[in-house]
Amino acid sequence: MAYQSLRLEYLQIPPVSRAYTTACVLTTAAVLELITPFQLYFNPELIFKHFQIWRLITNFLFFGPVGFNFLFNMIFLYRYCRMLEEGSFRGRTADFVFMFLFGGFLMTQSDRMSKSKELLTQAFTIMLVYVWSRRNPYVRMNFFGLLNFQAPFLPWVLMGFSLLLGNSIIVDLLGIAVGHIYFFLEDVFPNQPGGIRILKTPSILKAIFDTPDEDPNYNPLPEERPGGFAWGEGQRLGG
């Protein structure tokens, strides 16, 4: 019975969020037994000269060894990726996948130019959090029961928390920067006088991912509880 309930809950996760979080968990499990993190990070020479193409993807799938940092980031990744897919991207799976590709491309180019060889999974999570927070500006958040703030400050709070844990904030800043670029090009610039929509999802992605009919039994995650956990609960102003 417990297995069936868990299976049903897992299958209710929208497809992109389910695929991405599952890939992150499986990659971490593989590092425990089969591979090393050195086989995952972005390295142009190994990709183009030795054809280790998987690094273009695995660079975004590993948070680090299992521990507090892994669990913390996985929870935020799952929560905000799912809420984006069920919220502003509901019925627009191709657009969601295109955001993944656009964000991943910008981060990869930044990593290539800086030659930092950083794993970019945390930056990608911050990008998702940033886009969600800007699209839900009036949601009030509560972080660990200590801080109360509105949603647009959440990425900065997470960056400060990362700094307190002794982590580098370079990847957080990269995630915020890429998230802002996407938000500006997708939500702000097209609505300005003379603005145009620069980001257009390719037709091939729409043909692959978009379906005309929604599942009538689909049960979305309630966006009224955006944090979902003790360190990120929130409510809409006036609610």
Side-chain angles (χ1 to χ4, degrees):
M1 184 67 68
Y3 167 76
Q4 290 295 331
S5 299
L6 187 63
R7 180 175 178 273
L8 288 174
E9 177 63 27
Y10 176 74
L11 293 176
Q12 280 189 347
I13 302 172
V16 178
S17 300
R18 181 171 66 237
Y20 187 41
T21 53
T22 300
C24 289
V25 171
L26 292 179
T27 301
T28 301
V31 169
L32 293 175
E33 297 290 342
L34 302 173
I35 59 178
T36 71
F38 297 105
Q39 295 172 278
L40 304 176
Y41 72 90
F42 178 78
N43 186 313
E45 182 176 354
L46 293 177
I47 291 172
F48 297 111
K49 292 185 178 181
H50 298 273
F51 306 106
Q52 296 183 10
I53 307 298
W54 67 82
R55 292 178 182 270
L56 291 170
I57 299 174
T58 57
N59 191 36
F60 297 97
L61 299 180
F62 184 64
F63 284 112
V66 175
F68 176 78
N69 189 62
F70 168 78
L71 294 174
F72 183 85
N73 282 291
M74 277 300 304
I75 288 171
F76 269 83
L77 169 63
Y78 162 75
R79 188 71 185 179
Y80 290 94
C81 187
R82 180 173 181 176
M83 284 200 298
L84 271 177
E85 190 170 1
E86 292 179 334
S88 57
F89 284 102
R90 186 170 187 186
R92 299 169 52 219
T93 302
D95 293 340
F96 195 44
V97 172
F98 183 63
M99 185 187 76
F100 271 53
L101 296 175
F102 177 78
F105 175 77
L106 289 187
M107 291 180 193
T108 299
Q109 292 305 307
S110 174
D111 198 39
R112 182 180 66 82
M113 289 186 291
S114 66
K115 300 181 180 180
S116 62
K117 297 182 180 179
E118 293 271 5
L119 288 163
L120 297 175
T121 321
Q122 185 171 330
F124 200 85
T125 300
I126 292 292
M127 179 195 74
L128 297 174
V129 171
Y130 184 91
V131 174
W132 177 88
S133 70
R134 293 301 300 269
R135 289 181 171 177
N136 295 270
Y138 302 112
V139 175
R140 287 198 61 83
M141 313 294 295
N142 180 280
F143 192 77
F144 277 119
L146 300 175
L147 294 175
N148 293 290
F149 51 89
Q150 288 180 232
F153 292 100
L154 180 58
W156 303 99
V157 171
L158 293 178
M159 186 181 71
F161 185 68
S162 181
L163 185 63
L164 287 176
L165 293 178
N167 299 327
S168 170
I169 62 171
I170 298 300
V171 291
D172 298 79
L173 289 171
L174 176 60
I176 289 172
V178 172
H180 182 74
I181 291 171
Y182 177 83
F183 177 76
F184 178 80
L185 294 178
E186 179 70 12
D187 292 41
V188 178
F189 185 64
N191 298 315
Q192 300 298 310
I196 59 173
R197 184 171 297 280
I198 297 175
L199 299 180
K200 295 182 180 179
T201 303
S203 299
I204 187 171
L205 291 182
K206 290 184 176 293
I208 294 172
F209 293 104
D210 283 351
T211 55
D213 299 318
E214 290 189 352
D215 182 357
N217 299 316
Y218 184 61
N219 184 25
L221 197 67
E223 199 162 346
E224 286 77 15
R225 295 179 58 247
F229 300 91
W231 51 77
E233 291 184 350
Q235 61 182 14
R236 294 186 180 277
L237 290 179

